[in-house]
Amino acid sequence: MPLEIVTIPCLSDNYAFLAHDRVSGDTALVDAPQAEPILTALNERNWQLSHILLTHHHWDHVDGLAAILEAHPAEVVGAAADAHRLPPLNLQVAEGDRFEIGGEPVEVLDVSGHTVGHVAFYLPNSKVVFTADSLMALGCGRLFEGTAPQMWSSLSKLAALPDDTLVCSGHEYTQSNARFALTIDPDNLALQDRVVEIDRARAAGIPTVPSNLALEKATNPFLRAADPAIQAHLGMENSDPAKVFAEIRSRKDRF
Ligand code: ZN
Ligand code: FE
């Protein structure tokens, strides 16, 4: 049975997620931006954490961990490559590793780019991937440590997952990502429709995260660097998608 997913807004624009197995009661938290809203979400449901999955070391993804662990002494999972700069880990993982939440397999993907060592957690049975600051709704994380080819390879890995995968990313940046996406892919009707939906959701205070991989592939310019219309719009016809991605990413940095 698919895990139940709960989205928890934290800080000004972060998201944490709970993934709960109704059969075993196991519950995983993905990222720990802030203790209070996460503890409240757990208390409301009477859930106890079994796992805490950390995607990367930035403070806005780990700051709440110590206070959460006091009430929920769960197993903390994070990248072996980042063990030196993450809080203490009970399980160190790398690309290709698998573990379980309840009976549900979790696969580790290295999605370096935003940081080197950033991981995503893919749950094939539940059709959900936790991408934090790699693939985001209509966007992707800024390249603080990695290179554009590295991020392009990470995004390509995520794009290869099944179309009906739920994409749980780390921030509510979608509305500003949408304004940028329209400058790269102005004639994309699916994007235009999505922007209307995003503006409607944000006006009503509704999160635009999680999203769905098919929709990201149809509208997210960072996944569409091989698209002929985008390449033509950028004057980069028949270019290596990794180079087109680098151009889109650098335009976003200046946007
Ligand atoms: Zn980050
Ligand atoms: Fe972040």
Side-chain angles (χ1 to χ4, degrees):
M1 190 159 54
L3 302 187
E4 181 179 347
I5 307 297
V6 177
T7 304
I8 308 172
C10 295
L11 304 171
S12 58
D13 56 34
N14 276 78
Y15 288 117
F17 301 91
L18 299 174
H20 174 73
D21 177 38
R22 295 175 189 84
V23 179
S24 65
D26 276 10
T27 304
L29 167 68
V30 183
D31 283 342
Q34 185 186 14
E36 183 254 306
I38 293 168
L39 292 172
T40 301
L42 287 162
N43 288 340
E44 281 170 1
R45 293 166 179 81
N46 211 5
W47 292 351
Q48 186 71 27
L49 288 178
S50 55
H51 300 78
I52 300 175
L53 315 184
L54 301 176
T55 60
H56 67 298
H57 72 286
H58 283 160
W59 73 271
D60 63 311
H61 298 256
V62 301
D63 220 34
L65 183 68
I68 292 166
L69 279 173
E70 280 179 31
H72 297 264
E75 183 174 25
V76 182
V77 182
D82 273 345
H84 62 286
R85 57 183 181 175
L86 284 168
L89 301 175
N90 302 108
L91 179 64
Q92 300 189 12
V93 295
E95 168 88 15
D97 283 352
R98 278 172 160 254
F99 57 97
E100 288 194 350
I101 296 167
E104 168 94 355
V106 181
E107 299 176 9
V108 178
L109 302 173
D110 181 314
V111 291
S112 289
H114 175 69
T115 64
V116 174
H118 193 309
V119 288
F121 298 97
Y122 174 49
L123 286 67
N125 294 3
S126 294
K127 300 185 177 194
V128 54
V129 65
F130 297 99
T131 59
D133 298 356
S134 58
L135 174 61
M136 300 173 121
L138 268 189
C140 77
R142 193 176 277 265
L143 301 177
F144 284 116
E145 296 178 358
T147 62
Q150 215 166 12
M151 182 62 108
W152 176 247
S153 124
S154 297
L155 295 181
S156 302
K157 224 182 277 184
L158 293 165
L161 298 177
D163 269 355
D164 57 351
T165 304
L166 190 71
V167 179
C168 294
S169 53
H171 289 272
E172 183 59 62
Y173 292 161
T174 319
Q175 207 165 23
S176 68
N177 288 343
R179 302 273 91 79
F180 173 72
L182 288 169
T183 69
I184 299 297
D185 201 7
D187 302 322
N188 182 337
L189 298 177
L191 172 61
Q192 293 169 15
D193 287 350
R194 188 177 181 188
V195 174
V196 171
E197 284 306 312
I198 288 162
D199 289 343
R200 192 175 292 158
R202 293 313 293 152
I206 298 167
T208 62
V209 173
S211 59
N212 155 286
L213 189 58
L215 183 61
E216 294 303 332
K217 283 161 68 176
T219 57
N220 186 327
F222 296 99
L223 292 182
R224 296 169 54 73
D227 181 77
I230 289 186
Q231 293 201 352
H233 183 72
L234 297 175
M236 297 180 77
E237 290 93 338
N238 304 314
S239 297
D240 174 1
K243 289 211 176 74
V244 179
F245 169 79
E247 172 63 20
I248 297 171
R249 186 57 256 180
S250 85
R251 287 186 184 217
K252 177 67 162 67
D253 293 341
R254 301 189 304 264
F255 184 68

